[in-house]
């Protein structure tokens, strides 16, 4: 079974930065599309950023220009650089693989990001 372990979250002030990491149990990062998602008690899980097998990236309008997804290893690790953080970015962040029909069912525990003064 595919496993994902997210890390790097924490408490940060508005305008601050965090880098989230996603370690996977298989070297499919450079084979399939990967995505970062976030979820709050008030909202359903939403796709924040994605990177496909060719390296093309896409971002939700709410994070464009502030977040950057990358896979420098192209094997087992995916990062999400989060800059200019806003309180609205507060959520649990998850990574997952997308083989073409949405994310897999193998969700990890996620990592909490809290943006507050």
């Amino acid at each position: 079974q595919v496993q994902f372990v997210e890390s790097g979250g924490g408490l940060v002030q508005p305008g601050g930065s965090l880098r989230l990491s996603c370690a996977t149990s298989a070297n499919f990062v450079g084979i399939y599309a990967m995505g970062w998602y976030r979820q709050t008690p008030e909202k359903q899980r939403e796709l924040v950023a994605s990177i496909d097998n060719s390296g093309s990236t896409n971002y939700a309008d709410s994070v464009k220009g502030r977040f950057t997804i990358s896979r420098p290893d192209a094997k087992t690790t995916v990062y999400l650089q989060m800059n200019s953080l806003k309180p609205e970015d507060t959520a649990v962040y998850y990574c997952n693989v997308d083989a073409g029909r949405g994310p897999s069912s193998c969700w990890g525990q996620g990592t909490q990001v809290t943006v507050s003064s």
Side-chain angles (χ1 to χ4, degrees):
Q1 185 176 356
V2 178
Q3 294 178 312
F4 304 95
V5 180
E6 300 92 345
S7 63
L11 175 64
V12 65
Q13 296 184 20
S17 299
L18 287 172
R19 189 182 75 163
L20 307 184
S21 298
C22 172
T24 69
S25 61
N27 62 336
F28 50 64
V29 173
I31 304 300
Y32 302 103
M34 298 293 298
W36 281 97
Y37 304 75
R38 66 186 181 188
Q39 187 172 30
T40 68
E42 297 81 18
K43 301 177 181 178
Q44 62 183 344
R45 186 145 39 205
E46 65 173 339
L47 178 64
V48 174
S50 64
I51 184 167
D52 68 16
N53 60 302
S54 67
S56 297
T57 59
N58 284 285
Y59 300 92
D61 289 341
S62 59
V63 306
K64 284 182 178 178
R66 301 188 298 118
F67 290 9
T68 303
I69 187 172
S70 65
R71 49 168 179 84
D73 190 24
K75 292 183 178 180
T76 60
T77 307
V78 182
Y79 298 101
L80 184 67
Q81 179 66 46
M82 310 166 70
N83 298 326
S84 302
L85 284 163
K86 305 175 180 179
E88 304 93 277
D89 297 318
T90 296
V92 178
Y93 285 73
Y94 304 85
C95 67
N96 212 327
V97 62
D98 188 340
R101 296 188 298 275
S104 79
S105 61
C106 301
W107 295 98
Q109 295 300 305
T111 184
Q112 175 71 49
V113 172
T114 302
V115 185
S116 176
S117 299

